[in-house]
Amino acid sequence: MSLLAAQKLSPDNLEEGYRLIEQMIAELKKKSDKAFGIFGALFVMSFIVSAASGTLLFTFIFSHPKSPGFVAYLILFLTSFFVMAFSLTGVRWFQNRKFPPVRAPYDVMLPPELERVMSDLRTGRLSAYTSAGYGNTILSAVQASDGVLLDGRISPETFSNRYSPLLLSRQEKLWGLFWLSFRKSFTRPIYVVPDAMPDSSEAPCLNTDPRFRWLVGGAMQEFMINLDAFLRENISPDDQPWYRIAFTVARREMRKGAQHGALAAAIKAIKQELVASLGSDLGPQGGDSASSLKALLSGRQGRKDIKGYFDLKGP
């Protein structure tokens, strides 16, 4: 997986690609350490309070069971106990972004090349596997290009974890900061199987409506180059993932044809993928995305015509 990421960032110099990855991950690790520090401190403090209040509560049960102090210590003990339990389970919720509500999938801004890789992993367009362990290779094991057997497919949902970019590192010790459950993490290398990677060619374009030629025409590679240029010049880094998903899904869906209801179906598919990838289908400014997507598919961003950013070649 780290090799694929390095190739995407620097095809001609893998070491430079690895360096860029580690530089990005260093920032993410700082945020991970801070979060673990907060939850750790919360656990220690709540444990101390629970132990102290529990001891006093045990004493009051026999000596002053009906006194106001007994009720106060009972409330303090129950509160601190639940805080302690929360600090243990909250780490997993926090990593999986169950709270607070957020739009960006990760705590670090990824280069466009890596954002596409992680997005494809999150949505299942790319398949990731762990290498087979000794003595447990299953009959359906996949073989990587270097001959390594792979027998554990990683759930796409795994890559929605806010710290999953840590898996791009070559440093196995960093994988341990990424929890799958209670202190269970990856210990074996992760492979993105080449055969599972999407082909550069697309399904034939069945949409001949000239209004959508800018979106569905030309080759996918050219479209992505133009899309990168548009995002770079017009969209803030925080909003780029939203627009990238919207454009790529819109192209895929609208190439199926311009039949009645195709536009509504495309918008529905985009919103579903936004929820799967970003956790929400809200628009870039936090409002309803339906109106923004309707404008986008007609070639407008606000009042600006954006069709000129894309080559108007035939399908």
Side-chain angles (χ1 to χ4, degrees):
M1 187 167 168
S2 57
L3 174 61
L4 173 64
Q7 289 173 335
K8 292 289 185 182
L9 284 178
S10 181
D12 300 324
N13 187 342
L14 288 181
E15 286 305 319
E16 175 63 14
Y18 286 128
R19 187 191 68 80
L20 293 173
I21 292 172
E22 297 304 333
Q23 181 178 342
M24 172 202 69
I25 286 176
E27 178 185 349
L28 184 58
K29 184 179 181 301
K30 290 180 181 178
K31 296 181 178 181
S32 171
D33 291 345
K34 181 178 179 181
F36 275 102
I38 292 173
F39 279 101
L42 190 63
F43 172 78
V44 171
M45 289 188 294
S46 59
F47 176 81
I48 293 173
V49 174
S50 294
S53 58
T55 301
L56 292 171
L57 180 64
F58 183 79
T59 303
F60 269 72
I61 288 177
F62 296 101
S63 56
H64 307 288
K66 296 183 179 181
S67 69
F70 173 80
V71 177
Y73 285 126
L74 177 62
I75 294 174
L76 182 61
F77 172 77
L78 291 176
T79 301
S80 59
F81 180 82
F82 281 115
V83 170
M84 181 174 63
F86 167 78
S87 65
L88 286 174
T89 59
V91 174
R92 180 167 171 77
W93 295 341
F94 180 76
Q95 286 203 353
N96 285 295
R97 293 188 174 276
K98 302 299 182 185
F99 69 96
V102 291
R103 285 173 36 227
Y106 308 119
D107 284 358
V108 64
M109 181 59 62
L110 301 178
E113 298 86 353
L114 297 188
E115 176 58 44
R116 282 196 291 274
V117 171
M118 297 301 290
S119 175
D120 287 344
L121 288 167
R122 289 196 306 271
T123 56
R125 289 191 297 267
L126 286 182
S127 296
Y129 292 80
T130 55
S131 59
Y134 292 107
N136 65 347
T137 305
I138 59 177
L139 295 177
S140 60
V142 178
Q143 189 169 12
S145 57
D146 59 0
V148 175
L149 287 177
L150 315 172
D151 68 354
R153 188 177 187 275
I154 301 172
S155 170
E157 184 181 352
T158 301
F159 297 97
S160 296
N161 188 296
R162 70 198 308 153
Y163 298 135
S164 56
L166 291 169
L167 300 175
L168 297 173
S169 174
R170 287 188 294 179
Q171 303 181 55
E172 184 176 337
K173 64 180 181 180
L174 294 181
W175 304 346
L177 299 177
F178 172 70
W179 287 15
L180 294 174
S181 57
F182 282 98
R183 214 55 190 103
K184 179 183 178 183
S185 59
F186 289 106
T187 57
R188 288 180 281 173
I190 299 171
Y191 288 76
V192 177
V193 181
D195 291 341
M197 296 178 67
D199 188 17
S200 58
S201 62
E202 296 180 274
C205 181
L206 304 178
N207 190 335
T208 58
D209 190 329
R211 294 176 302 169
F212 299 106
R213 188 182 176 192
W214 67 275
L215 176 65
V216 302
M220 181 61 172
Q221 184 176 6
E222 296 171 351
F223 178 80
M224 294 305 297
I225 292 173
N226 293 331
L227 175 58
D228 287 340
F230 166 75
L231 296 177
R232 207 166 39 242
E233 296 175 17
N234 298 274
I235 308 300
S236 68
D238 289 343
D239 290 335
Q240 286 183 14
W242 189 93
Y243 279 93
R244 188 178 299 282
I245 292 171
F247 272 109
T248 52
V249 177
R251 176 180 171 89
R252 182 190 72 207
E253 295 299 316
M254 293 305 295
R255 280 176 67 90
K256 297 177 181 178
Q259 67 275 12
H260 179 70
L263 197 62
I267 291 176
K268 181 179 179 181
I270 294 170
K271 295 181 76 169
Q272 289 174 342
E273 192 136 353
L274 286 169
V275 171
S277 298
L278 305 182
S280 169
D281 65 349
L282 294 178
Q285 280 74 46
D288 178 39
S289 61
S291 57
S292 299
L293 291 172
K294 287 180 182 178
L296 206 62
L297 268 63
S298 66
R300 300 194 319 274
Q301 184 209 359
R303 298 181 179 179
K304 185 176 183 179
D305 190 317
I306 62 176
K307 293 190 290 291
Y309 283 92
F310 300 85
D311 292 336
L312 301 181
K313 297 180 180 179

